[in-house]
Amino acid sequence: MLERLDRDVAVIGGGPAGLAAARAAASAGARVLVVEREERLGGILKQCVHEGFGLERFGEALAGPEYAAREAESALAAGAEARPGSFVARASREGGLFLLRCLRRGGAYELRARALVLATGCRERTDRQVLVQGDRPAGVLTAGLAQYLVNVQGLLPARRAVILGSGDIGLIMARRLTLEGAEVEGVYEIKAEPSGLSRNVRQCLEDFGIPLRLSTTVTAVHGKGRVAGVTLASVDQRGAPIRGSEREVECDGLVLSVGLIPENELAASLGLELDGLTRGPRADQSGACLAEGLYCCGNALHVNDLADYVSESGEAAGRAAAAYARGGPARRELLPVKAGSGVLYAVPQFLDLAAAGRGQVEAGARIYFRSNATLREGARLVLKAEGSGEVLLERSYRALRPPEMERVELELGRVPEGASALCLEISRKERGDGRD
Amino acid sequence: MRLGSLRAGLRKRAGAGAEVEAREWRGSVVLEGRARDWRSKVELGWYAAGFGYKGVVNDLEVEGLAPERPEAPGRPAGASLEGESFDVAVVGGGVVGCAIARELARWKVSVILLEKECDVAVHTSSRNDGMIHDGFAAKPGTLKARYNVEGNRLWGPLARELGIEFSRPGSLVLYDSRAAAALYPVMAARAAENRVEGWEFWGRGRVRAEEPGAPDSQRGGFFLPSAGVLSPYRATVALAECAAANGVRVSLETAVLGFDTEDARITRVRTNRGAFRAGAVVNAAGNWADHVAGYANDRFFSLHQRRGVDLVLDSRAGALQRHILAMPDLFQLHAKTKGGGLVVTTEGNVLVGPTAAEAPGREDYATSQAEMRELERHFRVNKLLSPSMVITYFAGVRPCTYEEDFVVERSDYVRNLVHAAGIQSPGLASAPAIAADVARSAIGILAERARVEPNPSFRAGRRAPVDPRRLSWEERAELVERRPDCGRIVCRCEEVSEGEVRDALRGLVPAASLDAVKRRTRAGAGRCHGGFCTPRVMEIIADEAGIPLPEVTKKGPGSPVALGRTKEAGRA
């Protein structure tokens, strides 16, 4: 017999985003079920045994599994239910409800829910998605896969590894592999500066004497059965390998940390259009997508660099999903948020000005953004209302770097009547502009 | 006369510093000496092929390029073949060898299939775009043309018997020149000659309606409805499993080292698992078929290698294209290849390619940046596709004779040897037809000495593995109740369950590595390309095989995924 379940809110994904969403929704009185494909809750945090999670959220540095366990406990304590080991084979709409067709060991089931929260996280870009050439030997793997092998399975994926890409997981894995007895020949980054957090460059590479070579990439991998080496090349300003700069390095593993891609195949199957820059669905400040009853949060919405921000976005989505599930559709008043000059992207892409009246948002809306260039000498952010040109918010930073996401909070009441859009702009701080 | 003018022509073309000699041998011609470079060697081979000899044996040396030898095989675990005896030995576990073995199983004969790798379909048979060509492009009068058209017809019923997916989306060859319409009579004549049926000319509007992504520059095209597509590696595995189910012994990690001959017959086949007696031998050794022929002193042809690289697009691309698409350059009509295009696979990926370039390296699958650039031009053929959809790419090597045709025949000099060699494109499409002919020849050889009876218990089908994606939701729910492990999804991109992986590991031709599991189930073939499922599949392999995790390999001996346990495997 096919099992049939009905809930107010269905959450797909039991990582930090989904757990926070589940807790928030359950706390608001909604009946919530988290569908998680792995056997245990916690998402990728389960394999992140290093410390440093939760500084913002808990005010202390936790290991990934500790952070995940806290989130899971509090979601369940709030009354949310979870079904690990479940895979959503199809998501669709049926009448006014979402219908999830789920598989798990020993049984398939159907879950119907009024509101659906997508907390599906992200995947890693692979070697061939950054055009590394060569054959396909064993020993080429993404940093997250290497992390799973080492931290969960107790396996050593390489004895002498080259790491391509200085994303945070790559930096963390450089340290982990070193601690586990492997040699990390070097970390190579195609860009002129590291992609990961500055603190990770210090703590994972510098403290261990692992060289970081910028403006350098791996163009080819050698070896048939197992990796025997790689070809490195210096790159020009556009990232193209410079002819004649190629050199070969012996190694038995190539670990890649070359970017994360939000996993939004389910979102796309539900007809959501994805933002070309974030590769997540476009959403308002509570993660509400343009389709009614559908919410997205965490790394599925855009790639975050702190788990704390992921939890925060999950909470907003869970709260809004519960309100929708219990109160039905509400009038929305969407105002576009644009990424202006100097801004790589801004999330959310809309503010729902009517949300304040529904009490879904605390005092205001959080806007997350990344600068599109490194500004070491200081930077200034302004948030303007288009139409009136009024400056709603101004902030100065000592430095801004694309890998480090920032966020500001805006009281919705400050948005002037008649504004056609909001626009974020970043400029280099002028000399003598002493505010900070 | 003929040899004289060939020699003169060779000398003229060989260039300074080269020394090229030609001699006749059993109706073939052998080129010896030294060529300027590899390219020149191949061109001289092609040139010699124009002189009407049975074959061209191209033994020209090229400085800095040692003649390739098959890798010395290790001592595999498992059964020895020493002292055994088989009616037929088929050398090569590609699609051709596996199809031949299955055809042989229709007779009451003992058959062994020898494959040097740890799985079937490791080389050319898994490194192509899965297209079942219509047969239009083959040169009329060649074996290619004949077997292609026959094979294309046979694949429909064969795929049904084997329980593999096969569809005929048809091939749409677009032109961006007004002059294309003038080709109509040429096309009509070619189609008639090759017996390709059902083709049509589609005007610009029809093309636009049928293929929304077709470029604005198109001026109509030729539609060939019989062109099909299947998974070449699944098809090969299915053929091997069907053969095995009918009693064929599939011996993996078994490399032929030589033949003992006596009185113009092969008496014993020497392998790394020992030597055994064989009544007849079939040479379906792919890129090494000329070597294998040489073991019987019957090397009357040489193979040169034509590389092909394909890009694999994310499976969401499949919804953006309905037919197999190509837009050839009109000036390319006489090239040795069809120029590549865009093929939607049965799994919904789009394959972009293949390239076609002569290059040494029978098993050299390393791709290059230049090949990526070359493939980019195909994106113009469907404006809905983009290079950002590339999830991976692969190289394959086509074994080509200098005559650029298949060699499918009984040896003229070795009385119990049949060749199925030089099976380049469209080899996959042709395989069922080649197999029927080769099996008939092999049975004919046996029949010369003793009566051969049909095998009354032959079953053309096989127990196809469960493929839950082809089930309705209700059927799938039932399956999961029956097979609980089919509910645990281990590969999220391709939705592959633990149950399917276990089936692959327990099959008649069992998978033993990550790649072998991937070929059978598609686990790891999706957009994250194994990032998520690799550890899970490793655990299932270790569990089924009863081995520790560090012994799990990507593609057989010498390719361990991990180099040991943490702490103990690093620098001591």
Side-chain angles (χ1 to χ4, degrees), chain A residues 100-388:
Chain A
L100 303 184
R101 292 179 159 151
C102 306
L103 297 165
R104 64 171 177 170
R105 189 188 292 278
Y109 61 94
E110 291 183 353
L111 168 60
R112 284 174 178 76
R114 288 175 201 283
L116 175 60
V117 179
L118 299 171
T120 44
C122 54
R123 66 172 178 270
E124 297 175 278
R125 193 168 277 129
T126 67
D127 56 318
R128 297 214 153 196
Q129 288 157 14
V130 294
L131 295 179
V132 175
Q133 303 300 321
D135 201 342
R136 297 188 281 187
V140 179
L141 66 179
T142 58
L145 173 55
Q147 190 176 47
Y148 190 98
L149 259 59
V150 173
N151 293 347
V152 179
Q153 292 184 308
L155 297 175
L156 199 66
R159 289 196 186 96
R160 180 177 156 87
V162 160
I163 297 184
L164 175 60
S166 56
D168 288 310
I169 326 170
L171 301 176
I172 300 279
M173 281 315 294
R175 176 174 67 186
R176 174 58 52 196
L177 286 169
T178 306
L179 290 171
E180 297 295 347
E183 178 191 352
V184 175
E185 193 276 337
V187 176
Y188 298 88
E189 169 59 54
I190 192 167
K191 295 201 219 81
E193 42 196 301
S195 297
L197 299 172
S198 305
R199 76 168 195 223
N200 281 334
V201 175
R202 271 193 319 275
Q203 295 170 4
C204 299
L205 301 189
E206 290 168 13
D207 291 358
F208 289 84
I210 300 168
L212 170 63
R213 309 246 183 267
L214 301 172
S215 302
T216 308
T217 193
V218 171
T219 55
V221 58
H222 308 291
K224 276 191 159 181
R226 179 80 205 179
V227 173
V230 296
T231 301
L232 301 168
S234 307
V235 300
D236 62 22
Q237 282 171 337
R238 290 170 303 124
I242 298 168
R243 199 186 290 262
S245 72
E246 295 90 355
R247 54 213 185 267
E248 294 193 4
V249 166
E250 266 182 45
C251 61
D252 57 21
L254 172 63
V255 176
L256 293 114
S257 176
V258 289
L260 301 171
I261 304 168
E263 284 258 65
N264 279 307
E265 278 64 38
L266 277 173
S269 78
L270 286 164
L272 287 182
E273 238 178 79
L274 303 182
D275 182 310
L277 282 171
T278 61
R279 299 185 77 161
R282 288 180 292 159
D284 72 15
Q285 70 270 30
S286 55
C289 304
L290 290 175
E292 224 156 60
L294 194 49
Y295 300 81
C296 183
C297 57
N299 285 341
L301 192 56
H302 66 120
V303 175
N304 291 256
D305 39 58
L306 293 182
D308 309 63
Y309 289 166
V310 164
S311 298
E312 193 173 280
S313 108
E315 245 163 39
R319 209 162 34 232
Y324 173 88
R326 294 165 62 80
R331 189 185 60 88
R332 293 167 85 185
E333 198 183 319
L334 296 181
L335 183 70
V337 178
K338 294 183 184 168
S341 67
V343 180
L344 181 63
Y345 71 73
V347 169
Q349 290 84 350
F350 303 96
L351 290 185
D352 178 7
L353 299 179
R358 296 198 298 273
Q360 284 175 18
V361 237
E362 289 148 5
R366 292 192 176 110
I367 300 175
Y368 303 83
F369 64 92
R370 293 178 192 273
S371 67
N372 65 8
T374 295
L375 303 173
R376 282 198 191 79
E377 310 295 319
R380 185 161 157 269
L381 171 91
V382 292
L383 177 63
K384 277 191 217 156
E386 279 189 2
S388 67

Side-chain angles (χ1 to χ4, degrees), chain B residues 213 215 309-311 313 321 325-329 332 338-343 350-356 371-383 385-387:
Chain B
V309 174
D310 273 282
L311 307 175
L313 305 191
Q321 184 175 317
L325 286 181
M327 192 146 103
D329 193 327
Q332 269 187 357
K338 296 168 291 300
L342 304 168
V343 177
V350 171
L351 299 183
V352 180
T355 58
E371 288 166 324
M372 302 293 108
R373 278 193 296 274
E374 191 190 332
L375 288 170
E376 269 176 26
R377 72 192 162 94
H378 292 300
F379 284 98
R380 79 194 166 112
V381 185
N382 181 344
K383 61 187 178 193
L385 305 180
S386 83

